[in-house]
Amino acid sequence: MEGDQRHGSSAPGASHAGFRAVAVALVANLGVAAAKLVGFLITGSGSMVAEFAHSVADTGNQALLLVGRRQSERRPDPSHPFGYGAVRFLGAFIVALLLFGLGAVFSLAEGVNKLIHPHPLDDLPIALGILVVAIGLEALSFRAGVAAANQTRRGQGWVRFVRSTRIPELAVLLVEDTGALVGLGIALVAVAVSAITGNTVFDAVGTLGIGVLLAVNSVFLGIEMTSL
């Protein structure tokens, strides 16, 4: 009983909606990651490359969630008499520790490098345009996750819902998209201030901020997926 109260219920309709929301997010993040990579290659912005690492982590995360969901539906067999349901949680746990963790290390290292070896940034208006478009796409993905979560949230606060739901796709997607929007906001401010002042230190600080954000996401998701 306590476990049921802790983790809530997983209605088939809500679970399917969560799967659909992850699929939408995957398509959006593929485009966002490509745009950020182009932006970095044009501008050399540390914040842009950190956000590219963020999108790579998000995309890998969503791909593993979809694969895990499919694997979890396999019937029990002699080697797995209790079925494959735990694969859903394992995929999310791997993403939390590896992809987000590695993304955090990469972004922090890039930020330190930009502080020690600053260099001028080029074509910053292009970077700003890419970030604005990315925010719009992430907002659409976040909206899909919220709509799916509302099918089972039943008036719970968002933090409580993320910590109690037994649909890992929704928990990860909501945390991921929230982090993505915050990260894009950090990058937008960092690049804009660098463009206005001509001081690339702000871009380096933004890169470090994104690295810290990825590290926080990694720890939070790791803890939550372990609890499930």
Side-chain angles (χ1 to χ4, degrees), residues 126-142:
I126 294 177
L128 291 172
I130 289 173
L131 289 170
V132 169
V133 171
I135 288 173
L137 291 174
E138 289 289 356
L140 290 175
S141 173
F142 182 70

Side-chain angles (χ1 to χ4, degrees), residues 2 7 10 33-34 60 99 105 129 131 146 175-176 185 207 209 213:
E2 182 179 352
H7 299 302
S10 177
L99 291 181
V105 171
L131 289 170
V146 168
V175 173
E176 178 186 280
T207 306
L213 176 66

Side-chain angles (χ1 to χ4, degrees), residues 16 20 25 30 34 38 48 50 53 57 77 87 99 112 132 134 137 141 143 161 167 171-172 174 188 190 200 203 209:
H16 178 72
R20 186 171 60 248
L30 283 172
V38 171
M48 289 298 292
D77 55 39
V87 174
L99 291 181
V112 171
V132 169
L137 291 174
S141 173
R143 181 181 179 184
F161 172 78
I167 307 175
V172 174
L174 290 170
L188 185 65
T200 59
D203 180 62

